[in-house]
Amino acid sequence: MSETATPSLSAAGPGSDPFALFGLPRGMDVDPHALDAAYRQLQSQVHPDRFADRPEADRRVAMQWAATANEAYRVLKKPLPRARYLIESAGVELGEQDNTAMPAEFLMQQMEWREQVAEARAHRDDKGMRHIEHQIRGAEGALWPQLEQRIATADWKAAADLWRRLRFLQKLRDDIEDARSALID
Amino acid sequence: MALLQISEPGQSTAPHQHRRAIGIDLGTTHSLVATVRNSIPTVLPDEHGRLLLPSVVRYSRNGVVAVGVEAAARQAEDPRNTLASFKRFMGRGLADITRTHQGDLSYEFVDAAGMVQIRTAAGVKSPVEASAEVLRVLRQRAEASLGGDLTGAVITVPAYFDDAQRQATKDAAQLAGLKVLRLLNEPTAAAIAYGLDNAAEGVYAVYDLGGGTFDISILRLTKGVFEVLATGGDSALGGDDFDRRIACWAMEAAQLPPLGPGDLRALQVEAREVKEALSSRDRAPFHVRLQNGNTVDLTLDTGTLESLGANLVAKTLKPCRQALRDAGVDITEIQGVVLVGGSTRMPMVRAAVAEFFGQAPLTNLDPDQVVALGAARQAHLLAGNRSADDWLLLDVIPLSLGIETMGGLVEKIIPRNATLPIARAQEFTTFKDGQTAMRIHVLQGERERVDDCRSLAHFELRGIPPLTAGAARIKVTFEVDADGLLAVTAREQSSGVSAQVAVKPSYGLSDDDIARMLRDSFDHARDDLDARALAEAQVDAERLLDAVGAALEADGQALLSAAERATIQAHMAELAAARAGTDRSAIRQATDALSTATDAFAARRMDASIHSALAGRSIESI
């Protein structure tokens, strides 16, 4: 039986910067394969299962590391939380709950889509919902390069504004998906 | 036993180095125990060669508890005292059970705080105690087969089990004297068994329809990593529901009057047999002799079974769609669909799965055994039997966790399908000026309203400094470990005054409950326990004798004086004599005496071995 080395973990715990944790360059451009590989590599060293036969104190430390790795992976895996992390760690509040100051034009479009979704839902119109979903994707596609550019140039106020709009669109798309699932079930 | 920890470099280490760990599939209908022997996982049979232990427990007035085949055979005759399918009652209150099991009239339920209990001839029993009886039998089977004590066990649970159900399972294991290495989700266990045997890579779905529960898990398998992407299910849907429908069909078809619990149970037992027969035939006789002497003689064909079960099968597809969506996986990306659970033998289930996933499911493994085999693999790994091709398991929490906020709404703190372990904190504040206490209500489920979610725990945070409403900052932290079990702490932060409370879900048993149940089971199984304790003492004695003997042979001359050697040998002789007898405390005393007498020897050997290791290195480095 070959004994694989068991890592010893710093009791101080991991830092909170997910880019640093996975050794990835800070920014919106994250290579998904490099992220997956780094995440699995880290988990295979720190996961509590690796310490199952070790004292309680070791397992406790392992659990904190593994939980941090999971959270960091969640933050970096999808662009919206990734952007949110970058903006917030620059000290800008996104005020997700209460900050709804957005261009009137954008809000009008939102209301229009919401009405269309409600109507399509009432008529069990799957095709109609797919059509709205397609339009929303188009709008998101136009906003993403702008957000990436604002983040790259550290224009955080503008980035936060774009982020809130993308978050709105994502929520709307989630609602459409819920409605579409409800049609099938 | 300090002596066991020393071994010469390059020499074989102490005896019993391999750690005996088992995997247990604690099923609704039957249970299995498996272990890894010579790197091959195997299900352990009982003395008659049977692999499946029916999860049926019969309590008699005289305190005798029958488990398995013997108990199952008496179900119809003694339905009130013969508990079956009690996995469905784990972590459930009476209200839950009457909602989902209207037909279960054969038990006399007792509403108890937290979890429902059942009145039997041997007193009121909880589903946890009944589960512990099954686990105890499997533990004994494993100990007999492996020849000694167990390092620990991995026990499987439905992936969709909530915190209360998981806690109840863990309590049952503790009651059965098992050290739980891990609660493992059943579909994940199946994926481990399948993935390791077939060197599978890619995205797989595991469709697990058991006797009482349904799970769907979507996993990504990459070399050395089993990553659960999403899971879903219904913890009150399984083969039992088909049986109940068939029994209802029989009552209608034969125009039976309302029946007593014994007859109802007989109909359900026959329904299961007929259902199983229809997996390989087009029609099967349904024959039951009622207690009044009348007989029910019917024939069930597959067409009728399909119409009886159609909407049950359809009910499994909604969680499948949800899990795919949560996993962010398109159905065309699914590489293979692994079938688990006896109910997936039904052709109608296989057909529905094939149609839904657009591919024939994988049927090259035994759906009854695959979970236990995977659990055994994981147990082997967790017990510390490491090898070069170790794998990593990343599982998820099946249901969201949150706390109650104003207006009876639930604020989610941990979303379903988050990867474990996880720690997440959220801040809350006070509602009134001068408020000094806050009631925290922990819930699990997907719905918005408190009443639609499962209540896990209530606790109060006191000592909040009186501030204006909204000024206090209370940070509530949820921590879910790799077993999927939750711990909650709350802390007031605004003023530096902090209070902290750790909670155990209200459905879990308190330590006092466990102690009482252990006492009860001691009373019922005194002989069994004595025998076990004696066997343990004998094994320990033998290990120590082996180890001291080997140490004396290696270093006795070099490190001990003649007088010291004589003392140790005298203690060895005493222990050998005690070990041959049946006086447990005499064996323990002699073991302790020998252990103490060899402490100094052990220390000298440790010094000597470190010196020789250092000497070896310095020679090499020259």
Side-chain angles (χ1 to χ4, degrees), chain B residues 112-145:
Chain B
M115 201 185 313
V116 71
Q117 308 205 330
I118 297 166
R119 194 180 308 282
T120 73
V124 174
K125 298 292 173 185
S126 85
V128 171
E129 287 170 283
S131 301
E133 296 294 349
V134 171
L135 291 171
R136 198 171 290 132
V137 168
L138 293 175
R139 190 200 76 204
Q140 287 159 353
R141 183 190 288 187
E143 284 170 347
S145 172

Side-chain angles (χ1 to χ4, degrees), chain B residues 130-302:
Chain B
S131 301
E133 296 294 349
V134 171
L135 291 171
R136 198 171 290 132
V137 168
L138 293 175
R139 190 200 76 204
Q140 287 159 353
R141 183 190 288 187
E143 284 170 347
S145 172
L146 301 178
D149 289 349
L150 305 171
T151 308
V154 165
I155 308 210
T156 62
V157 289
Y160 212 59
F161 255 18
D162 65 23
D163 193 89
Q165 293 167 306
R166 283 169 199 269
Q167 189 63 56
T169 306
K170 204 168 183 181
D171 289 344
Q174 192 186 342
L175 207 48
L178 284 166
K179 183 188 172 212
V180 180
L181 296 168
R182 163 61 54 81
L183 295 178
L184 181 62
N185 291 330
E186 287 159 12
T188 310
I192 291 173
Y194 178 82
L196 293 177
D197 283 355
N198 296 277
E201 299 222 353
V203 180
Y204 282 78
V206 181
Y207 180 102
D208 180 356
L209 188 60
T213 56
F214 170 67
D215 283 329
I216 176 76
S217 286
I218 312 291
L219 295 100
R220 186 189 291 128
L221 278 50
T222 30
K223 202 179 161 11
V225 183
F226 293 83
E227 189 180 356
V228 180
L229 301 176
T231 195
D234 186 335
S235 61
L237 173 65
D240 284 3
D241 297 292
F242 291 78
D243 301 348
R244 219 169 271 132
R245 298 243 169 133
I246 296 169
C248 286
W249 162 84
M251 283 192 275
E252 269 177 37
Q255 298 185 318
L256 300 177
L259 300 172
D263 284 338
L264 281 176
R265 194 75 80 86
L267 285 182
Q268 275 178 23
V269 169
E270 177 68 359
R272 187 201 296 171
E273 278 172 24
V274 170
K275 175 190 72 181
E276 287 172 4
L278 287 179
S279 288
S280 52
R281 274 188 281 160
D282 289 339
R283 49 206 305 117
F286 186 104
H287 177 88
V288 171
R289 175 180 283 276
L290 299 175
Q291 278 168 351
N292 62 10
N294 292 348
T295 57
V296 178
D297 266 305
L298 299 162
T299 301
L300 184 65
D301 59 51
T302 49

Side-chain angles (χ1 to χ4, degrees), chain B residues 596-615:
Chain B
T596 312
T598 53
D599 273 353
F601 182 32
R604 271 180 238 167
R605 292 192 79 217
M606 179 74 89
D607 284 348
S609 94
I610 289 170
H611 276 119
S612 82
L614 290 177

Side-chain angles (χ1 to χ4, degrees), chain A residues 49-50 70 177-178 185, chain B residues 182 321 325 386 421 424:
Chain A
D49 282 1
R50 291 281 185 256
N70 282 330
E177 249 189 274
D178 283 343
D185 292 329
Chain B
R182 163 61 54 81
R321 275 190 286 274
R325 189 181 152 192
R386 295 257 157 70
R424 203 58 70 89

